[in-house]
Amino acid sequence: QVQLVESGGGLVRPGGSLRLSCAASESTFRNYALAWFRQAPGAGREFVAGISWSGSNTVYTDSVKGRLTITRDNAKNTLYLQMNDLKPEDTAVYYCAATFSRAHWVGETVNDYDLWGQGTQVTVSS
């Protein structure tokens, strides 16, 4: 079973940037649809961005469009989230998620994914 490990979180000032990474343990990663979710204290886990197995289809929640970019490198078994112009409301634990899919589809709910990483903390504060 594929295991996912996130990295790249930290403390950044408003307007700053971070790049999150999610490394997978197996090359079968290339057959999975992937996504980033986040969970702020006291809130539910929300969809941030998703990408199809080939990388040809990407989906973003409205609040991050134009600031966050999801990409994947199937040769390196790694998913990325480039985060620019960060805002305090982006503060959360960020999770990568995966589910087997060779379709153009990208899921946008927690129930669409069955593999999860342990999360990485992103804090945006001055």
Side-chain angles (χ1 to χ4, degrees):
Q1 179 168 314
V2 175
Q3 295 184 329
L4 306 173
V5 179
E6 301 98 333
S7 62
L11 173 64
V12 63
R13 295 185 184 277
S17 297
L18 283 174
R19 187 175 82 156
L20 305 184
S21 299
C22 174
S25 59
E26 298 181 7
S27 62
T28 52
F29 169 87
R30 66 189 65 227
N31 297 316
Y32 287 71
L34 305 170
W36 290 97
F37 286 76
R38 66 187 178 187
Q39 188 165 15
R45 194 167 295 191
E46 67 166 346
F47 174 81
V48 175
I51 188 166
S52 61
W53 73 275
S54 66
S56 62
N57 186 24
T58 57
V59 179
Y60 297 90
T61 194
D62 286 346
S63 63
V64 307
K65 287 179 180 177
R67 301 189 299 116
L68 275 58
T69 304
I70 187 171
T71 57
R72 65 189 296 164
D73 186 336
N74 286 343
K76 295 182 178 180
N77 298 340
T78 304
L79 173 71
Y80 302 100
L81 185 67
Q82 178 65 44
M83 310 170 71
N84 298 329
D85 189 23
L86 283 162
K87 305 177 185 300
E89 51 264 41
D90 294 317
T91 296
V93 177
Y94 283 71
Y95 298 89
C96 66
T99 191
F100 182 85
S101 174
R102 295 273 295 182
H104 194 61
W105 166 91
V106 175
E108 298 182 46
T109 72
V110 170
N111 290 336
D112 289 328
Y113 296 89
D114 45 22
L115 299 172
W116 295 85
Q118 84 289 347
T120 185
Q121 176 71 47
V122 171
T123 302
V124 184
S125 175
S126 55

